[in-house]
């Protein structure tokens, strides 16, 4: 037979579970609009153009790494590769203080990458 103390504990437990479920639903309802509108969408063509530009840049880098600078050790080929990709940007970024063999300067490489992509973009516009 069931005693009153057993039913009250079971009732409290089911009441607690119900409260937790209701609180979870409330939290989800409050956070859902932020999750849906969290990131603004970019223009439909902007992302595709950026990917295409990135792909062209990486293709040029890969070509320079294998063809023009293929005889060098990959860790030491950065000056050769940047010169091959864009001599104008290489001179602009690394001209005053060239990289030593094996040196890594991420900040200047990102500046070079931005310059080279701008150059690629200008070349693409001239072809159109």
């Amino acid at each position: 037979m069931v005693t009153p103390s057993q039913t009250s504990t079971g009732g409290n437990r089911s009441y607690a579970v119900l409260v937790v479920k209701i609180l979870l639903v409330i939290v989800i309802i409050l956070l859902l609009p932020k999750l849906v509108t969290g990131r603004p969408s970019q223009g439909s063509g902007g992302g595709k153009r950026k990917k295409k530009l990135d792909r062209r840049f990486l293709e040029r880098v890969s070509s320079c790494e294998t063809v023009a600078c293929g005889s060098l050790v990959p860790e030491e080929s950065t000056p050769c590769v940047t010169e091959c990709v864009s001599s104008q940007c290489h001179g602009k970024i690394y001209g005053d203080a060239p990289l030593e063999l094996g040196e890594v300067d991420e900040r200047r490489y990102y500046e070079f990458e931005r310059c080279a992509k701008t150059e690629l973009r200008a070349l693409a516009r001239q072809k159109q």
Side-chain angles (χ1 to χ4, degrees):
M1 189 159 224
V2 178
T3 61
S5 64
Q6 289 177 343
T7 57
S8 65
T9 307
N12 286 341
R13 217 178 273 155
S14 64
Y15 178 72
V17 170
L18 180 64
V19 169
V20 168
K21 287 181 180 180
I22 291 172
L23 287 174
L24 284 173
V25 169
I26 291 172
V27 168
I28 290 171
I29 289 172
L30 292 174
L31 292 178
L32 189 61
K34 290 183 182 182
L35 293 174
V36 172
T37 60
R39 281 188 270 166
S41 62
Q42 296 179 349
S44 61
K48 289 180 183 178
R49 278 180 279 194
K50 185 175 186 289
K51 287 180 185 177
K52 189 174 182 180
L53 179 64
D54 288 342
R55 187 173 51 249
R56 282 194 321 218
F57 175 76
L58 291 175
E59 286 171 354
R60 187 174 274 195
V61 168
S62 178
S63 172
C64 288
E65 286 174 341
T66 55
V67 178
C69 307
S71 62
L72 299 172
V73 178
E75 290 79 18
E76 298 178 350
S77 66
T78 303
C80 177
V81 171
T82 55
E83 176 74 32
C84 173
V85 170
S86 170
S87 58
Q88 181 182 3
C89 292
H90 176 82
K92 185 176 169 183
I93 305 298
Y94 298 106
D96 295 337
L99 288 175
E100 296 177 13
L101 292 179
E103 180 183 0
V104 176
D105 187 345
E106 290 181 15
R107 183 188 57 81
R108 287 198 294 170
Y109 184 78
Y110 289 129
E111 288 178 27
F112 168 79
E113 186 176 340
R114 191 173 358 166
C115 177
K117 286 180 179 179
T118 301
E119 192 176 274
L120 284 172
R121 198 176 296 120
L123 287 172
R125 284 187 189 134
Q126 287 177 355
K127 288 181 181 180
Q128 292 178 351

